[in-house]
Amino acid sequence: MSLQFNPRDITWLAFNERVLQEAMDEKVPLHLRIRFLGIFSNNLDEFFRVRVAGLKRAMDFKEKVIAESFYQAPSKILQRINDIVIHQQQNFDKTWKKIQAEMADQRVFIKSPKSLTPVQKEFVSKYFDEVIESNVIPILLHENTPMPYLRDKSLYIGVAMSKKDWQYASNYAIIEIPSRFVGRFLLLPTEDPKEKNVMLLEDIITFNLPHIFSYFGYDEFSAHAFKVTKDAELDLDNDIRTNFAEKIEKGLKNRRKGKPTRFVFDKDMDKALLELLIRKLNLTKKDSIIPGGKIHNFKHFMDFPDVFDDYKRPVERTSFTHPAFEHGERVTDVILKNDVLLTFPYHKYNSVIDLLREAAMDPDVKSIQITAYRLASSSKIINALIYAARNGKEVTVMLELQARFDEESNLEWKEMLEPEGIRVLIGIPNKKVHAKLCVIKKRAHNKTLQYGFVSTGNFNEKTARVYGDHLLMTSDRGVMADINKVFSVLKKPKDDFMPVLKTCKNLLVCPQFMREKFIHHIDREIEEAKAGRKAEMIIKVNSLSDRGMILKIYDAAKAGVLVKMIVRGIYCAVNHKDFKEKIDAISIVDEYLEHARVMYFYSKGVEDMYISSADWMTRNLDNRIEAAIKITDKDLKKEMKDILDIQLRDNVKARILNKKLDNEYVRNNKKQCRSQIEIYKYLKAKTDPE
């Protein structure tokens, strides 16, 4: 059999197409459809910053050498990417046009400079004078002057200016839209209180162009939006005289100089200005030069103003307290007696915050150790840890300074935590710390007690409201011992830290050992299938791209193991003719982001269940510190299996993952199952069984 794989980057674009499908679905509430457009846009920006930039770097080497890493030559993948993205952009523009028509039906309008009423014109002029003008700095463009530095995440308008009686060519300028400082949206006054008018910041600036350039006497203006996406790879130098944090800071400064990977512009832009920008940015036909609609940097639309009156949040979207914590008992006391499994965003995240606050105030608690990858901007986790340090606890925080696009934030957290007496760890060179771990130690009645939690997702109370994740609270002595071993490695990183991690008995850790254990599980299922006995595995991850794990899954399918997969994003596996059992793979894209990693193996009826921080990608399994934990409590194991079964029954929001990557919805004659709603009902019933 000639083994085949779908290229990683093409499957990622198929995932983003599923996000766009949600925006296109007229059954989805209007404000959520706008949000999905914002998510689609933001996803695509990051894709070009990282993946397209990586492919372009790879083209500098011999393509045959690196084609295996991408499953296809980078030049071919880049061409496919460009074709797919242009097609998706067309669908995006059609969808946005349709949504605007539906907004008009609800009397919500995005106002252009030409459509303002006299009262609104006065309001916009005053708002510009008082709020915006000080943040607007036009830069004139000339053929013989260098291109000014353009920010990667910023939106710009290109302005062509002329005079009616002028025989000369237009002059040109660019203006950065200062949305970071004043926001992207402005609600305008209306005569009809039932009508909502929203104006975009770039249109406010466009309206005020005669005022901005009044010194030059121009009376004709043409302004259109554009943005540049740059290579976001963080190049770290090898200067032994600088510490790791300083290298990150230097890398962030150098990132600004990254090469453009995409140029997106309003297709109605002045042609001469467009050509000037392309020349000054040194773009060629090999680069992604993508014409689009009027609005760019659509990521801001994830926070579009709440102007829709007819939407009532369904009860199934309201988080609730886990039943274990409903009776007023301290979280600490509960988990010292029993394991508790939290499933977000169905369960409230408060219980995690409460546990850390209790530890901060408990005079018997001696230390807290926790990993942090992506934190909320006003992190309650960090606040609790600071209070703990002020109360005399020994607090250790592993801050991953290489968390992509959170590097700057994590450097700021480091600067905040260290003066509070908190020990900040910054990881192991060339190994990101992605494990989600916490251990709390207390001394009471001449006994040492340890408890904490292991999670599939970040310790971030904001994303926990929209990310589907699992977090196990436990006081299991073996688990706590293993978490302490991980922190011992992080505190004193050595060149050879593997022997320490190898001694972990209750956590599966990366690099290496998690891969070995899961391969062992798959091999056992293969043996059972070959013996004619029941063999089954369910793998739920965000991404599947590791060649070794895919080949092992292929072995299982060939042997007759029942393989079921739930993969939100990248999915490089495909079915083949000689599989005894076809791989049943789906992707669920709904209001919540499916983020949990769960592994289930039938294991001769014993049923082994794990939750993990690691996707099945080479970077996770071989190049990061990751952790998975086995669910041993019988009731919790059943709960996890029930949740997986609900997701596998989804025939509303599930798409079939196949070789064609056509995102066909799962449709059958079975009872309708929208898994995120059904999981809510299932978990909510446990709080009130009657």
Side-chain angles (χ1 to χ4, degrees):
M1 176 178 69
S2 175
L3 291 177
Q4 294 177 325
F5 308 88
N6 269 320
R8 165 181 167 170
D9 299 296
I10 303 304
T11 74
W12 185 92
L13 286 173
F15 154 66
N16 213 30
E17 178 82 27
R18 295 192 281 278
V19 175
L20 186 56
Q21 282 180 328
E22 289 299 296
M24 297 165 71
D25 187 348
E26 295 180 11
K27 295 189 290 294
V28 173
L30 197 53
H31 73 288
L32 289 179
R33 293 172 66 192
I34 295 172
R35 180 168 164 263
F36 276 116
L37 287 181
I39 294 170
F40 172 88
S41 177
N42 189 55
N43 287 348
L44 200 58
D45 285 349
E46 293 196 6
F47 177 74
F48 271 88
R49 288 187 191 110
V50 180
R51 295 304 303 172
V52 171
L55 285 162
K56 289 189 174 184
R57 287 180 177 220
M59 286 178 65
D60 294 336
F61 300 91
K62 291 183 179 179
E63 293 210 353
K64 289 183 180 179
V65 176
I66 49 85
E68 186 173 338
S69 302
F70 294 95
Y71 299 134
Q72 201 173 28
S75 58
K76 291 183 179 179
I77 294 175
L78 282 168
Q79 184 55 55
R80 288 180 68 185
I81 287 171
N82 212 45
D83 294 342
I84 292 169
V85 168
I86 289 174
H87 176 70
Q88 288 183 348
Q89 185 66 50
Q90 291 168 347
N91 284 337
F92 181 100
D93 294 340
K94 290 176 187 175
T95 302
W96 174 232
K97 188 174 182 180
K98 205 168 188 179
I99 285 174
Q100 284 181 285
E102 294 180 39
M103 289 168 63
D105 291 339
Q106 296 193 31
R107 306 187 74 178
V108 175
F109 302 93
I110 293 181
K111 300 287 280 188
S112 69
K114 293 180 180 179
S115 64
L116 297 177
T117 66
V119 172
Q120 290 173 338
K121 287 179 180 178
E122 184 179 346
F123 180 84
V124 168
S125 295
K126 185 177 180 182
Y127 183 78
F128 179 83
D129 291 342
E130 295 177 354
V131 179
I132 300 175
E133 187 169 20
S134 60
N135 294 293
V136 171
I137 304 173
I139 299 173
L140 296 175
L141 293 182
H142 301 288
E143 280 285 358
N144 300 323
T145 56
M147 186 69 178
Y149 161 70
L150 299 183
R151 295 179 190 273
D152 176 45
K153 296 183 179 181
S154 289
L155 177 68
Y156 293 84
I157 54 173
V159 184
M161 305 168 287
S162 62
K163 299 177 183 178
K164 289 178 182 176
D165 301 329
W166 216 14
Q167 58 184 348
Y168 304 105
S170 299
N171 283 333
Y172 305 108
I174 58 173
I175 298 175
E176 181 178 359
I177 304 303
S179 51
R180 291 181 299 154
F181 306 107
V182 297
R184 185 80 181 274
F185 307 102
L186 177 66
L187 285 174
L188 303 179
T190 58
E191 295 179 3
D192 184 349
K194 292 183 179 180
E195 184 176 304
K196 305 290 175 56
N197 287 179
V198 180
M199 195 168 190
L200 298 176
L201 180 56
E202 57 266 38
D203 286 333
I204 296 172
I205 293 171
T206 298
F207 177 75
N208 284 278
L209 286 175
H211 172 70
I212 295 170
F213 293 102
S214 58
Y215 177 81
F216 299 97
Y218 297 121
D219 49 24
E220 291 187 340
F221 298 92
S222 169
H224 296 87
F226 71 92
K227 70 174 180 181
V228 177
T229 308
K230 295 182 178 180
D231 184 341
E233 187 63 37
L234 204 63
D235 291 320
L236 304 181
D237 64 36
N238 295 314
D239 189 345
I240 60 173
R241 295 169 297 178
T242 58
N243 64 38
F244 190 56
E246 290 171 334
K247 290 178 181 179
I248 294 288
E249 288 182 293
K250 187 175 179 180
L252 286 170
K253 291 176 182 176
N254 289 335
R255 179 186 273 173
R256 298 172 184 171
K257 303 173 185 176
K259 294 180 181 178
T261 58
R262 180 179 58 155
F263 176 72
V264 184
F265 62 95
D266 185 335
K267 59 182 179 295
D268 295 326
M269 178 181 283
D270 180 273
K271 295 296 185 288
L273 173 57
L274 175 61
E275 291 172 4
L276 178 62
L277 289 171
I278 289 173
R279 284 199 304 277
K280 284 189 170 292
L281 289 167
N282 295 315
L283 299 173
T284 67
K285 292 181 179 179
K286 293 181 180 179
D287 296 304
S288 296
I289 302 174
I290 302 172
K294 178 178 178 293
I295 301 174
H296 300 286
N297 254 23
F298 220 91
K299 64 181 181 180
H300 295 135
F301 281 70
M302 287 191 281
D303 300 310
F304 192 75
D306 182 13
V307 291
F308 301 102
D309 297 326
D310 64 339
Y311 177 73
K312 291 183 180 179
R313 186 174 177 81
V315 67
E316 293 88 353
R317 298 299 183 187
T318 306
S319 300
F320 53 89
T321 301
H322 190 285
F325 307 125
E326 279 191 319
H327 308 295
E329 205 174 351
R330 291 198 323 159
V331 176
T332 304
D333 296 333
V334 171
I335 66 170
L336 285 173
K337 291 183 286 189
N338 299 295
D339 288 358
V340 175
L341 182 70
L342 296 174
T343 298
F344 308 120
Y346 312 98
H347 292 136
K348 288 184 177 179
Y349 202 77
N350 296 12
S351 304
V352 180
I353 309 295
D354 290 344
L355 180 68
L356 292 171
R357 284 177 175 161
E358 290 170 9
M361 294 183 287
D362 188 338
D364 294 329
V365 166
K366 303 303 177 185
S367 68
I368 303 172
Q369 299 180 96
I370 191 169
T371 59
Y373 195 77
R374 299 189 197 279
L375 295 159
S377 54
S378 300
S379 175
K380 294 179 181 178
I381 297 278
I382 292 294
N383 288 341
L385 296 173
I386 289 173
Y387 289 137
R390 290 175 180 174
N391 282 333
K393 320 301 180 190
E394 182 183 312
V395 180
T396 302
V397 180
M398 168 60 228
L399 269 177
E400 181 46 76
L401 298 186
Q402 296 180 86
R404 197 184 300 275
F405 304 126
D406 275 68
E407 303 98 341
E408 200 164 347
S409 297
N410 287 349
L411 280 169
E412 290 172 1
W413 287 123
K414 180 178 182 293
E415 295 301 313
M416 178 187 292
L417 293 175
E418 287 180 331
E420 297 287 349
I422 292 173
R423 182 177 181 180
V424 175
L425 308 177
I426 54 175
I428 301 172
N430 304 316
K431 291 281 187 292
K432 282 188 181 181
V433 180
H434 196 248
K436 321 297 184 184
L437 304 170
C438 176
V439 57
I440 300 166
K441 187 182 293 186
K442 67 184 293 183
R443 183 80 180 165
H445 308 297
N446 295 320
K447 289 176 62 178
T448 298
L449 300 174
Q450 295 189 77
Y451 54 98
F453 42 86
V454 180
S455 179
T456 66
N458 297 310
F459 301 141
N460 184 318
E461 63 273 15
K462 182 179 179 182
T463 57
R465 294 198 292 264
V466 290
Y467 280 32
D469 274 304
H470 301 294
L471 182 146
L472 181 71
M473 291 181 161
T474 182
S475 58
D476 183 280
R477 293 176 65 180
V479 172
M480 294 303 115
D482 285 354
I483 296 177
N484 279 308
K485 289 174 185 176
V486 174
F487 275 101
S488 72
V489 168
L490 298 177
K491 287 176 180 176
K492 295 181 179 179
K494 299 177 181 178
D495 290 338
D496 187 14
F497 55 84
M498 300 295 278
V500 177
L501 296 183
K502 192 173 184 178
T503 62
C504 291
K505 303 297 183 185
N506 298 274
L507 288 181
L508 306 186
V509 292
C510 296
Q512 184 177 332
F513 305 115
M514 190 187 297
R515 177 193 290 274
E516 289 179 357
K517 186 65 175 179
F518 285 143
I519 286 177
H520 169 71
H521 273 294
I522 297 172
D523 282 338
R524 286 177 61 189
E525 297 301 321
I526 290 172
E527 289 175 10
E528 289 296 289
K530 287 181 176 178
R533 294 186 289 268
K534 180 177 178 180
E536 180 182 358
M537 52 190 265
I538 304 171
I539 306 300
K540 180 185 179 186
V541 288
N542 296 326
S543 298
L544 172 70
S545 65
D546 181 81
R547 184 180 292 263
M549 298 308 289
I550 294 173
L551 290 175
K552 184 54 64 175
I553 291 168
Y554 287 174
D555 289 344
K558 286 167 67 177
V561 177
L562 192 62
V563 180
K564 300 176 182 177
M565 302 203 70
I566 306 167
V567 184
R568 186 192 79 226
I570 297 165
Y571 180 76
C572 296
V574 294
N575 275 306
H576 295 285
K577 292 179 181 179
D578 63 347
F579 287 175
K580 192 172 181 180
E581 285 283 350
K582 298 300 182 188
I583 300 169
D584 182 7
I586 61 170
S587 175
I588 299 169
V589 176
D590 199 348
E591 185 171 344
Y592 299 146
L593 182 81
E594 294 292 339
H595 192 255
R597 294 92 168 181
V598 184
M599 293 83 201
Y600 163 88
F601 304 94
Y602 182 69
S603 193
K604 298 182 181 180
V606 175
E607 297 190 304
D608 291 322
M609 181 81 71
Y610 297 86
I611 62 172
S612 172
S613 63
D615 284 312
W616 283 15
M617 305 175 76
T618 305
R619 71 180 190 191
N620 299 84
L621 297 173
D622 294 345
N623 299 312
R624 291 185 176 186
I625 305 295
E626 303 267 14
I629 186 170
K630 190 174 184 178
I631 306 296
T632 56
D633 180 279
K634 181 181 177 182
D635 293 335
L636 297 186
K637 191 158 57 171
K638 181 182 184 304
E639 184 174 303
M640 285 296 311
K641 181 62 163 52
D642 289 345
I643 289 172
L644 286 176
D645 287 341
I646 290 171
Q647 290 177 322
L648 289 167
R649 293 201 310 269
D650 194 311
N651 55 9
V652 178
K653 293 295 184 179
R655 281 77 154 179
I656 299 166
L657 294 175
N658 57 23
K659 189 175 180 180
K660 294 184 290 184
L661 300 175
D662 54 4
N663 288 329
E664 181 183 342
Y665 283 87
V666 174
R667 293 289 184 260
N668 51 45
N669 295 324
K670 297 177 182 177
K671 182 180 177 182
Q672 189 177 83
C673 176
R674 183 176 174 185
S675 59
Q676 291 186 356
I677 300 297
E678 297 304 318
I679 291 170
Y680 173 91
K681 292 176 181 176
Y682 170 81
L683 293 172
K684 185 64 172 160
K686 290 177 175 288
T687 68
D688 185 14
E690 296 180 5

